[in-house]
Short mmCIF file of all heavy atoms in Angstrom, two decimals:
data_model
loop_
_atom_site.label_atom_id
_atom_site.label_comp_id
_atom_site.label_asym_id
_atom_site.label_seq_id
_atom_site.Cartn_x
_atom_site.Cartn_y
_atom_site.Cartn_z
N SER A 1 110.77 111.71 136.55
CA SER A 1 111.80 112.54 135.90
C SER A 1 111.52 112.66 134.40
O SER A 1 111.73 113.73 133.81
CB SER A 1 113.20 111.97 136.14
OG SER A 1 113.26 110.63 135.67
N LEU A 2 111.02 111.60 133.78
CA LEU A 2 110.72 111.66 132.34
C LEU A 2 109.47 112.51 132.10
O LEU A 2 109.38 113.21 131.09
CB LEU A 2 110.55 110.25 131.77
CG LEU A 2 111.82 109.40 131.78
CD1 LEU A 2 111.53 107.99 131.30
CD2 LEU A 2 112.90 110.04 130.93
N ARG A 3 108.51 112.46 133.02
CA ARG A 3 107.31 113.30 132.89
C ARG A 3 107.72 114.77 132.96
O ARG A 3 107.29 115.57 132.14
CB ARG A 3 106.31 112.97 133.99
CG ARG A 3 105.03 113.80 133.89
CD ARG A 3 104.06 113.53 135.02
NE ARG A 3 103.54 112.18 135.02
CZ ARG A 3 102.60 111.73 134.20
NH1 ARG A 3 102.08 112.52 133.30
NH2 ARG A 3 102.16 110.50 134.31
N ARG A 4 108.58 115.10 133.94
CA ARG A 4 109.03 116.50 134.07
C ARG A 4 109.76 116.96 132.82
O ARG A 4 109.65 118.11 132.41
CB ARG A 4 109.96 116.64 135.29
CG ARG A 4 109.23 116.72 136.60
CD ARG A 4 110.16 117.16 137.74
NE ARG A 4 111.33 116.29 137.91
CZ ARG A 4 111.32 115.16 138.60
NH1 ARG A 4 110.24 114.74 139.20
NH2 ARG A 4 112.43 114.43 138.70
N GLU A 5 110.55 116.07 132.23
CA GLU A 5 111.31 116.42 131.03
C GLU A 5 110.44 116.39 129.77
O GLU A 5 110.91 116.75 128.69
CB GLU A 5 112.48 115.45 130.86
CG GLU A 5 113.51 115.55 131.97
CD GLU A 5 114.53 114.41 131.93
OE1 GLU A 5 114.91 114.01 130.81
OE2 GLU A 5 114.93 113.93 133.01
N GLY A 6 109.20 115.92 129.90
CA GLY A 6 108.29 115.87 128.75
C GLY A 6 108.66 114.78 127.75
O GLY A 6 108.37 114.90 126.56
N ILE A 7 109.30 113.73 128.22
CA ILE A 7 109.75 112.66 127.32
C ILE A 7 108.71 111.55 127.25
O ILE A 7 108.29 111.01 128.28
CB ILE A 7 111.11 112.09 127.79
CG1 ILE A 7 112.18 113.19 127.70
CG2 ILE A 7 111.50 110.87 126.97
CD1 ILE A 7 113.51 112.80 128.28
N GLU A 8 108.29 111.22 126.04
CA GLU A 8 107.41 110.09 125.80
C GLU A 8 108.24 108.96 125.23
O GLU A 8 109.35 109.18 124.75
CB GLU A 8 106.30 110.46 124.82
CG GLU A 8 105.34 111.50 125.35
CD GLU A 8 104.18 111.75 124.41
OE1 GLU A 8 104.34 111.58 123.19
OE2 GLU A 8 103.11 112.13 124.91
N GLY A 9 107.70 107.76 125.28
CA GLY A 9 108.45 106.65 124.72
C GLY A 9 107.72 105.34 124.87
O GLY A 9 106.53 105.30 125.15
N SER A 10 108.48 104.28 124.69
CA SER A 10 107.89 102.95 124.81
C SER A 10 108.98 101.97 125.22
O SER A 10 110.18 102.26 125.15
CB SER A 10 107.27 102.51 123.49
OG SER A 10 108.26 102.39 122.49
N VAL A 11 108.53 100.82 125.67
CA VAL A 11 109.44 99.74 126.02
C VAL A 11 108.82 98.44 125.53
O VAL A 11 107.61 98.24 125.62
CB VAL A 11 109.72 99.70 127.55
CG1 VAL A 11 108.46 99.46 128.35
CG2 VAL A 11 110.75 98.65 127.89
N THR A 12 109.65 97.59 124.96
CA THR A 12 109.21 96.26 124.53
C THR A 12 109.95 95.25 125.37
O THR A 12 111.18 95.32 125.49
CB THR A 12 109.50 96.05 123.03
OG1 THR A 12 108.81 97.07 122.29
CG2 THR A 12 109.01 94.68 122.57
N VAL A 13 109.18 94.34 125.97
CA VAL A 13 109.74 93.33 126.86
C VAL A 13 109.22 91.95 126.47
O VAL A 13 108.16 91.82 125.86
CB VAL A 13 109.39 93.61 128.34
CG1 VAL A 13 110.04 94.89 128.83
CG2 VAL A 13 107.88 93.66 128.55
N ARG A 14 110.00 90.95 126.84
CA ARG A 14 109.54 89.56 126.73
C ARG A 14 109.29 89.10 128.16
O ARG A 14 110.20 89.13 128.99
CB ARG A 14 110.57 88.67 126.06
CG ARG A 14 110.10 87.20 125.96
CD ARG A 14 111.08 86.31 125.20
NE ARG A 14 111.25 86.79 123.84
CZ ARG A 14 112.38 87.30 123.34
NH1 ARG A 14 113.45 87.40 124.07
NH2 ARG A 14 112.45 87.70 122.09
N VAL A 15 108.05 88.70 128.44
CA VAL A 15 107.72 88.23 129.78
C VAL A 15 107.54 86.72 129.77
O VAL A 15 107.04 86.16 128.79
CB VAL A 15 106.45 88.92 130.33
CG1 VAL A 15 106.69 90.40 130.56
CG2 VAL A 15 105.25 88.72 129.44
N THR A 16 107.98 86.09 130.85
CA THR A 16 107.74 84.66 131.04
C THR A 16 106.56 84.55 132.00
O THR A 16 106.55 85.18 133.06
CB THR A 16 108.98 83.97 131.64
OG1 THR A 16 110.07 84.15 130.73
CG2 THR A 16 108.73 82.48 131.84
N ILE A 17 105.56 83.77 131.59
CA ILE A 17 104.32 83.64 132.35
C ILE A 17 104.21 82.19 132.82
O ILE A 17 104.30 81.26 132.01
CB ILE A 17 103.12 84.00 131.45
CG1 ILE A 17 103.30 85.41 130.88
CG2 ILE A 17 101.81 83.86 132.21
CD1 ILE A 17 102.54 85.67 129.62
N ASP A 18 104.04 82.01 134.14
CA ASP A 18 103.96 80.65 134.66
C ASP A 18 102.56 80.05 134.50
O ASP A 18 101.66 80.69 133.96
CB ASP A 18 104.46 80.58 136.11
CG ASP A 18 103.52 81.22 137.13
OD1 ASP A 18 102.38 81.58 136.79
OD2 ASP A 18 103.95 81.36 138.29
N GLU A 19 102.40 78.83 134.99
CA GLU A 19 101.14 78.10 134.83
C GLU A 19 99.99 78.74 135.58
O GLU A 19 98.84 78.44 135.33
CB GLU A 19 101.28 76.65 135.33
CG GLU A 19 102.36 75.85 134.68
CD GLU A 19 103.69 75.93 135.42
OE1 GLU A 19 103.93 76.88 136.21
OE2 GLU A 19 104.53 75.05 135.20
N ARG A 20 100.29 79.63 136.53
CA ARG A 20 99.23 80.33 137.27
C ARG A 20 98.88 81.67 136.65
O ARG A 20 98.00 82.37 137.14
CB ARG A 20 99.66 80.54 138.72
CG ARG A 20 99.88 79.23 139.47
CD ARG A 20 100.52 79.49 140.81
NE ARG A 20 101.73 80.30 140.60
CZ ARG A 20 102.33 81.04 141.51
NH1 ARG A 20 101.86 81.08 142.72
NH2 ARG A 20 103.42 81.71 141.22
N GLY A 21 99.63 82.07 135.61
CA GLY A 21 99.36 83.35 134.96
C GLY A 21 100.16 84.51 135.52
O GLY A 21 99.92 85.66 135.19
N ARG A 22 101.15 84.21 136.36
CA ARG A 22 101.99 85.27 136.95
C ARG A 22 103.27 85.43 136.15
O ARG A 22 103.82 84.47 135.64
CB ARG A 22 102.32 84.92 138.39
CG ARG A 22 101.09 84.84 139.28
CD ARG A 22 101.47 84.53 140.69
NE ARG A 22 102.12 85.68 141.31
CZ ARG A 22 101.54 86.47 142.19
NH1 ARG A 22 100.32 86.25 142.57
NH2 ARG A 22 102.19 87.49 142.70
N VAL A 23 103.75 86.67 136.08
CA VAL A 23 105.01 86.96 135.38
C VAL A 23 106.16 86.58 136.31
O VAL A 23 106.22 87.03 137.45
CB VAL A 23 105.08 88.44 134.99
CG1 VAL A 23 106.44 88.79 134.41
CG2 VAL A 23 103.98 88.77 133.98
N THR A 24 107.07 85.75 135.80
CA THR A 24 108.22 85.32 136.60
C THR A 24 109.53 85.91 136.11
O THR A 24 110.52 85.87 136.83
CB THR A 24 108.33 83.78 136.60
OG1 THR A 24 108.47 83.33 135.25
CG2 THR A 24 107.10 83.15 137.24
N ALA A 25 109.55 86.47 134.90
CA ALA A 25 110.78 87.08 134.36
C ALA A 25 110.40 88.13 133.32
O ALA A 25 109.41 87.98 132.62
CB ALA A 25 111.68 86.02 133.74
N VAL A 26 111.21 89.17 133.26
CA VAL A 26 111.00 90.25 132.29
C VAL A 26 112.34 90.54 131.63
O VAL A 26 113.31 90.89 132.30
CB VAL A 26 110.47 91.53 132.97
CG1 VAL A 26 110.21 92.61 131.93
CG2 VAL A 26 109.21 91.24 133.78
N GLU A 27 112.38 90.39 130.31
CA GLU A 27 113.61 90.62 129.56
C GLU A 27 113.42 91.83 128.65
O GLU A 27 112.43 91.92 127.92
CB GLU A 27 113.90 89.38 128.72
CG GLU A 27 115.10 89.51 127.81
CD GLU A 27 115.23 88.33 126.86
OE1 GLU A 27 114.55 87.30 127.07
OE2 GLU A 27 116.01 88.44 125.91
N LEU A 28 114.37 92.74 128.69
CA LEU A 28 114.32 93.93 127.84
C LEU A 28 114.62 93.56 126.39
O LEU A 28 115.60 92.88 126.11
CB LEU A 28 115.35 94.96 128.32
CG LEU A 28 115.52 96.19 127.44
CD1 LEU A 28 114.24 97.02 127.40
CD2 LEU A 28 116.68 97.03 127.93
N ILE A 29 113.76 94.01 125.50
CA ILE A 29 114.03 93.88 124.06
C ILE A 29 114.50 95.24 123.55
O ILE A 29 115.54 95.34 122.93
CB ILE A 29 112.81 93.36 123.30
CG1 ILE A 29 112.51 91.92 123.75
CG2 ILE A 29 113.03 93.43 121.80
CD1 ILE A 29 111.28 91.32 123.15
N LYS A 30 113.71 96.28 123.82
CA LYS A 30 114.16 97.64 123.48
C LYS A 30 113.36 98.64 124.29
O LYS A 30 112.22 98.37 124.69
CB LYS A 30 114.03 97.92 121.98
CG LYS A 30 112.62 97.98 121.47
CD LYS A 30 112.59 98.29 119.99
CE LYS A 30 111.14 98.32 119.52
NZ LYS A 30 111.01 98.63 118.12
N ALA A 31 113.96 99.79 124.54
CA ALA A 31 113.30 100.84 125.31
C ALA A 31 113.82 102.20 124.86
O ALA A 31 115.00 102.35 124.56
CB ALA A 31 113.57 100.66 126.80
N THR A 32 112.92 103.17 124.85
CA THR A 32 113.30 104.54 124.55
C THR A 32 114.25 105.05 125.63
O THR A 32 115.18 105.79 125.35
CB THR A 32 112.04 105.44 124.50
OG1 THR A 32 111.10 104.85 123.62
CG2 THR A 32 112.36 106.83 124.01
N ASP A 33 113.99 104.64 126.87
CA ASP A 33 114.80 105.06 128.01
C ASP A 33 114.78 103.93 129.04
O ASP A 33 113.73 103.31 129.24
CB ASP A 33 114.22 106.35 128.61
CG ASP A 33 115.10 106.95 129.68
OD1 ASP A 33 115.14 106.37 130.79
OD2 ASP A 33 115.72 108.00 129.43
N SER A 34 115.90 103.68 129.70
CA SER A 34 115.96 102.57 130.65
C SER A 34 114.99 102.75 131.81
O SER A 34 114.54 101.78 132.42
CB SER A 34 117.38 102.40 131.18
OG SER A 34 117.78 103.55 131.90
N ARG A 35 114.63 104.01 132.12
CA ARG A 35 113.67 104.24 133.22
C ARG A 35 112.29 103.71 132.86
O ARG A 35 111.56 103.24 133.73
CB ARG A 35 113.63 105.72 133.57
CG ARG A 35 114.96 106.17 134.21
CD ARG A 35 115.05 107.66 134.36
NE ARG A 35 115.33 108.27 133.05
CZ ARG A 35 115.58 109.56 132.85
NH1 ARG A 35 115.58 110.40 133.88
NH2 ARG A 35 115.83 110.03 131.66
N PHE A 36 111.92 103.74 131.57
CA PHE A 36 110.66 103.13 131.15
C PHE A 36 110.71 101.62 131.40
O PHE A 36 109.74 101.02 131.85
CB PHE A 36 110.37 103.40 129.68
CG PHE A 36 109.98 104.82 129.35
CD1 PHE A 36 110.51 105.45 128.25
CD2 PHE A 36 109.07 105.52 130.14
CE1 PHE A 36 110.15 106.75 127.92
CE2 PHE A 36 108.70 106.82 129.83
CZ PHE A 36 109.24 107.44 128.71
N PHE A 37 111.86 101.01 131.10
CA PHE A 37 111.99 99.57 131.33
C PHE A 37 111.88 99.24 132.81
O PHE A 37 111.18 98.30 133.19
CB PHE A 37 113.33 99.05 130.78
CG PHE A 37 113.61 97.63 131.21
CD1 PHE A 37 112.81 96.58 130.78
CD2 PHE A 37 114.66 97.35 132.06
CE1 PHE A 37 113.05 95.27 131.19
CE2 PHE A 37 114.91 96.05 132.47
CZ PHE A 37 114.11 95.01 132.04
N GLU A 38 112.55 99.99 133.66
CA GLU A 38 112.53 99.70 135.10
C GLU A 38 111.10 99.76 135.64
O GLU A 38 110.69 98.89 136.41
CB GLU A 38 113.45 100.65 135.87
CG GLU A 38 114.92 100.40 135.61
CD GLU A 38 115.35 98.97 135.89
OE1 GLU A 38 114.89 98.36 136.87
OE2 GLU A 38 116.16 98.44 135.10
#
C-alpha cells in the first residue's frame, strides 16, 4: 500500500539478540509509518 502511494520512509528499532545471534524482540523507536515497522 505504501509502494502504491509512493511513500518512502524509515523505521528505527531496538532489537534484542540472543546468544545464538537470533532476534528475540523488536521495539519501535520511531517510524515514518507503522506499516514500515510491522
Side-chain angles (χ1 to χ4, degrees):
S1 57
L2 294 176
R3 181 183 296 283
R4 280 192 303 276
E5 295 169 38
I7 296 174
E8 294 185 332
S10 64
V11 61
T12 301
V13 294
R14 180 176 299 114
V15 294
T16 301
I17 304 157
D18 71 10
E19 303 91 339
R20 297 170 307 159
R22 297 181 72 105
V23 173
T24 59
V26 182
E27 176 188 347
L28 174 64
I29 294 176
K30 67 179 179 179
T32 308
D33 187 287
S34 63
R35 292 170 285 186
F36 288 137
F37 170 65
E38 290 305 320

